[in-house]
Amino acid sequence: MRVPDHIGAWLRDRLIPLWSERALMPGRPGYTEYFSHRFAIDERGARSTLVTARLVYVFSHAYVLAGSSEALAAARHGYAFLTGACRHPSGRFLHRVALDGTTLDDFTDLYDLAFVLLAASWYFRATGEVEALALASETADFIEAEMSHPCGGFREDTRGSTPRRQNPHMHLLEACLALAEATSDRRWIERAAALAGLMRDRFFDRQTGSLVEFLSDDLRPDAKRGEEREPGHHFEWFWLLGEFRRIARTDDFVDVAKQLYLFGSTHGIDRQGALDGAVHETVASSGALISDSKLLWPQTEALKAHITRWELHGDHDARELIERQLSLIFTHFLDAESGFWHNKIASDGRPLPVEMPTRVLYHIVMALAEYARIEGKIVPASADR
């Protein structure tokens, strides 16, 4: 596997056309959600709000990038299912439904709703349909009215599940920034600022410079999993706080962003063996390794973080990190010819026989679109040698 010569062209001409066909099965509603590790369709007879919303984002972003009629048709297909079968008559979103629209999981999940907001923002950008903005406003109102937690932030879901997580709040920030950029509405910036402040004040472990993943009801580190740290989320927050800085034009969160990047790059990257440079799945707050396997999505988040380091923080040494990360993704995880990927790699470089969730396409497209955006500006570090 090798890196395509031009990432923007590869996204436009290879990846998106392939997945515009694969994600939509003729006569089936929604999107295909899983493939086996051998890349065969794994049809489970269910559709989720999460995957539907993520892929509406993917195909909407693809249309904005390339103007592909196939991508626009795929986005419209998913958006119709999202606002139809996935939505309860009351206006809230169901977690999971059957292919015929029958409810399977009758609760509303905060993580799902973050991606409904992201999907709405990009669907509006792709189509200009203001109904998508109305959907975003209604969804945000539901979150604030029905899911606010007295100890800060929002509940995991309408069942009150625990432990609580920083992750849904991170993706709410992502969606609010996307909506702020799509609409220039200051309300989305204000929501984004509140979420960034929540991370700094409640999720950020100042003693270690790291991000607490799992929390108790009152936002203390969870008794069982409170020491777990996911380096991929440290890089993802670094990128998001860079986006906040760019869109809101404030340096309020630069210091905490740099500490998150430092923890991720110091403790979260493999420095030896077949996957030298790859991001670990899980470490402890001390930096001790918990899981040495490598998932694809943290690699894409590291790529975005390195781009932010180069573009917004003026660190030209990050050019080499960008090149290395892009090469690692295509060498070990993502096949440029087929558009399939290995979702999990063992520490010795062997692909593990685990399912390939199509929801990971969100991470791939977001990261490579970020690279494509700077592709003509950045001079490869190898050119200096």
Side-chain angles (χ1 to χ4, degrees):
M1 296 189 281
R2 68 177 185 84
V3 180
D5 293 332
H6 190 284
I7 293 297
W10 181 80
L11 275 173
R12 180 187 68 239
D13 300 333
R14 189 68 184 165
L15 187 71
I16 295 304
L18 283 170
W19 281 100
S20 295
E21 295 180 0
R22 288 175 185 154
L24 280 69
M25 294 177 65
R28 293 292 188 108
Y31 298 116
T32 304
E33 300 212 351
Y34 292 95
F35 284 74
S36 74
H37 71 281
R38 298 185 184 276
F39 311 130
I41 290 175
D42 180 358
E43 184 55 86
R44 303 182 182 190
R47 297 287 185 261
S48 65
T49 291
L50 174 63
V51 175
T52 305
R54 278 193 173 195
L55 293 192
V56 169
Y57 152 75
V58 163
F59 293 120
S60 297
H61 196 161
Y63 180 73
V64 171
L65 286 173
S68 158
S69 60
E70 293 87 356
L72 182 59
R76 290 191 183 281
H77 172 86
Y79 188 79
F81 188 76
L82 181 68
T83 55
C86 294
R87 202 173 189 196
H88 190 272
S90 68
R92 67 184 180 88
F93 282 85
L94 303 164
H95 183 59
R96 201 166 60 103
V97 299
L99 294 181
D100 63 3
T102 305
T103 300
L104 296 177
D105 291 317
D106 186 25
F107 65 91
T108 300
D109 184 272
L110 181 65
Y111 191 79
D112 297 352
L113 295 185
F115 284 98
V116 170
L117 292 174
L118 185 69
S121 69
W122 281 92
Y123 189 78
F124 168 72
R125 289 183 65 173
T127 66
E129 296 176 10
V130 294
E131 185 277 332
L133 297 183
L135 175 68
S137 292
E138 291 165 12
T139 302
D141 289 345
F142 175 87
I143 292 170
E144 290 167 359
E146 303 296 332
M147 303 190 76
S148 291
H149 195 287
C151 293
F154 302 100
R155 291 185 288 157
E156 281 287 305
D157 51 43
T158 52
R159 304 175 302 179
S161 297
T162 54
R164 298 176 68 191
R165 295 173 299 159
Q166 68 78 24
N167 197 11
H169 298 82
M170 178 184 71
H171 287 295
L172 276 179
L173 170 62
E174 176 185 31
C176 289
L177 290 173
L179 283 158
E181 193 155 40
T183 66
S184 300
D185 187 333
R186 288 294 304 178
R187 289 178 298 175
W188 295 111
I189 287 289
E190 291 165 4
R191 287 175 170 129
L195 289 159
L198 180 71
M199 183 280 292
R200 178 194 58 201
D201 298 337
R202 305 303 300 272
F203 304 152
F204 181 61
D205 177 0
R206 295 183 181 278
Q207 186 173 358
T208 61
S210 66
L211 182 69
V212 181
E213 293 285 344
F214 299 98
L215 302 114
S216 65
D217 209 45
D218 60 356
L219 293 183
R220 299 177 187 274
D222 180 65
K224 291 183 179 179
R225 304 186 66 184
E227 288 299 303
E228 293 182 26
R229 304 290 185 265
E230 295 187 26
H233 284 152
H234 289 67
F235 292 125
E236 197 164 6
W237 268 105
F238 178 76
W239 172 74
L240 277 169
L241 293 174
E243 288 292 279
F244 184 87
R245 181 187 184 194
R246 178 179 65 81
I247 295 168
R249 300 185 179 185
T250 174
D251 293 336
D252 286 354
F253 300 100
V254 169
D255 288 343
V256 68
K258 288 181 177 179
Q259 291 181 70
L260 291 171
Y261 183 92
L262 179 62
F263 183 91
S265 57
T266 302
H267 302 294
I269 295 179
D270 200 335
R271 302 294 183 186
Q272 59 187 358
L275 290 175
D276 182 21
V279 181
H280 292 305
E281 187 174 348
T282 316
V283 300
S285 63
S286 65
L289 188 61
I290 292 177
S291 174
D292 64 358
S293 57
K294 311 296 189 295
L295 289 166
L296 170 56
W297 74 261
Q299 318 313 318
T300 66
E301 297 310 321
L303 177 62
K304 287 158 59 181
H306 299 331
I307 290 169
T308 295
R309 181 174 159 184
W310 173 78
E311 187 175 32
L312 291 187
H313 294 267
D315 185 351
H316 293 285
D317 291 339
R319 290 181 303 163
E320 185 170 356
L321 294 174
I322 293 168
E323 285 183 64
R324 288 180 61 191
Q325 198 67 24
L326 192 66
S327 177
L328 184 145
I329 288 168
F330 279 97
T331 299
H332 294 284
F333 292 90
L334 178 58
D335 180 64
E337 180 60 29
S338 70
F340 284 116
W341 61 86
H342 298 297
N343 198 49
K344 195 170 189 176
I345 304 285
S347 59
D348 61 5
R350 291 178 300 107
L352 294 170
V354 298
E355 63 196 10
M356 193 196 82
T358 58
R359 65 178 181 269
V360 177
L361 197 60
Y362 145 79
H363 287 283
I364 295 169
V365 168
M366 180 77 81
L368 296 184
E370 279 291 278
Y371 182 85
R373 184 176 56 78
I374 65 158
E375 198 164 16
K377 304 176 189 176
I378 191 168
V379 177
S382 56
D384 296 339
R385 296 194 285 270

